[in-house]
């Protein structure tokens, strides 16, 4: 009876990186609307504050450039001092670079890998240490269609997102025996600032995206948020190590 009461009173704590805009904001909103206290991470304080205002009282923000890897353990300690546990981590923050392969410098390639992949590993490792002590938790990564088929002019992004899917499987086999589920969503083409800047300037590419998406439209951030809530909930209690395309069928489109 006591245990049941404790479980009912347990306030779930989530971290959503890049939670002040686009897909991350939609995931954070979905979590707070479902009673999950959500800490959003980003670089732009103004954007973060606006998002938190919108989700009060179940949200707070931390300003951190995740590519500065040494900041990660500091903010995780801050979160633990205040909340004492972390139940959900969504690795959503990401950047893109649209350029022909031969024009991408080593520094540019490295920057994308650092933000989209190395920081995901570093943050997941720190959170996994806590989840292992708790013997519970969910980690959800966000990859991309670029990890599933060849997309021209996004070479560094593609490498980072293919890495995310490998990381998902690697973490899942190490952590799942201890009650921690690790999954990944591969969004199709979703209407956000990131995709608008990539697609609106390139009508031919946009047409190609739409023509190979059986549902014939771009997705909305809310479509990803609904799948995210499912994957971190008990409804997905036997699902780990999986990559779920949420893409209107884009990955199987002709
Ligand atoms: P947005 O550009 O809208 O959001 C990206 C978020 O990441 C921003 O909130 C940004 O916050 C944060 N961010 C970027 N770099 C850093 C950093 N160094 N440190 C901390 N935060 C950072 O993009 P989307 O919502 O479209 O994309 C979200 C995720 O979904 C990305 O991983 C993307 O690759 C993936 N995705 C998106 C698709 C789409 O069609 N939109 C398709 C497939 C995958 P700030 O500016 O405050 O730093």
């Amino acid at each position: 009876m006591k245990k049941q009461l404790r479980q009912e009173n347990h306030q779930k704590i989530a971290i959503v990186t890049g939670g002040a805009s686009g897909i991350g904001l939609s995931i954070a909103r979905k979590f707070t609307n479902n009673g999950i206290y959500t800490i959003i991470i980003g670089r732009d304080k103004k954007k973060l504050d606006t998002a938190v205002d919108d989700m009060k009282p179940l949200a707070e923000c931390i300003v951190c450039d995740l590519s500065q890897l040494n900041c990660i353990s500091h903010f995780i300690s801050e979160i633990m001092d205040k909340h004492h546990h972390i139940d959900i981590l969504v690795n959503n923050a990401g950047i893109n670079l649209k350029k022909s392969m031969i024009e991408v410098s080593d520094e540019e390639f490295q920057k994308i890998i650092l933000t989209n992949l190395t920081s995901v590993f570093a943050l997941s490792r720190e959170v996994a240490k806590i989840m292992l002590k708790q013997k519970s938790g969910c980690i959800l990564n966000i990859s991309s269609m670029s990890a599933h088929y060849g997309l021209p002019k996004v070479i560094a992004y593609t490498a980072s997102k293919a890495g995310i899917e490998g990381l998902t499987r690697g973490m899942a086999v190490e952590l799942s025996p201890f009650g921690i589920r690790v999954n990944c969503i591969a969004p199709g083409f979703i209407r956000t600032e990131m995709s608008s800047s990539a697609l609106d300037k390139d009508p031919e590419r946009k047409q190609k995206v739409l023509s190979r998406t059986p549902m014939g439209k771009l997705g909305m951030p809310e479509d990803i948020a609904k799948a995210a809530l499912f994957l971190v909930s008990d409804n997905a209690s036997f699902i780990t190590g999986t990559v779920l395309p949420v893409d209107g069928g884009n990955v199987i489109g002709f």
Side-chain angles (χ1 to χ4, degrees), residues 125-179:
R125 181 194 56 216
E126 294 311 305
V127 170
K129 288 177 191 169
I130 289 153
M131 289 178 169
L132 282 169
K133 283 189 195 140
Q134 295 168 180
K135 295 193 169 50
S136 69
C138 287
I139 299 177
L140 179 62
N141 297 323
I142 306 290
S143 70
S144 155
M145 283 301 111
S146 67
H148 294 246
Y149 53 71
L151 258 182
K153 296 186 181 169
V154 284
I155 194 75
Y157 183 78
T158 296
S160 71
K161 293 301 185 178
I164 286 286
E165 297 196 359
L167 205 64
T168 301
R169 289 183 280 270
M171 291 199 288
V173 291
E174 286 201 38
L175 300 176
S176 301
F178 306 99

Side-chain angles (χ1 to χ4, degrees), residues 21 23 43-44 47 64-66 92 143 157 161 188 190 192:
S21 63
I23 291 172
R43 293 164 299 179
D44 182 335
K47 220 165 67 175
C64 172
D65 179 344
L66 292 163
N92 162 80
S143 70
Y157 183 78
K161 293 301 185 178
I190 309 298
T192 68

Side-chain angles (χ1 to χ4, degrees), residues 1 19 27 35 38 42 66 85 105 143 173 232 249:
M1 182 66 177
I27 293 173
T38 304
L66 292 163
H85 59 104
S105 69
S143 70
V173 291
V232 303

Side-chain angles (χ1 to χ4, degrees), residues 4-5 47 52 67 73 81 84 87 91 101 108 115 120 139 176-177 182-183 192-193 206-207 214 229 232 235 247:
Q4 192 188 338
L5 257 180
K47 220 165 67 175
V52 166
S67 68
S73 57
D81 287 346
H84 315 296
D87 303 290
N91 286 307
M101 177 203 159
E108 287 170 326
T115 303
V120 170
I139 299 177
S176 301
V182 185
N183 289 296
T192 68
E193 242 172 73
K206 188 169 183 177
Q207 187 44 41
L229 182 66
V232 303
N235 291 325
D247 65 345

Side-chain angles (χ1 to χ4, degrees), residues 25 39 43 49 55-56 60 65 77 106 134 150 175 210 224 226 235 241 248 252:
L25 176 58
I39 302 158
R43 293 164 299 179
D49 285 341
M55 295 186 282
K56 265 179 188 162
E60 67 178 83
D65 179 344
S77 299
D106 293 342
Q134 295 168 180
L175 300 176
L210 293 176
I224 306 302
K226 285 189 270 193
N235 291 325
I252 52 91

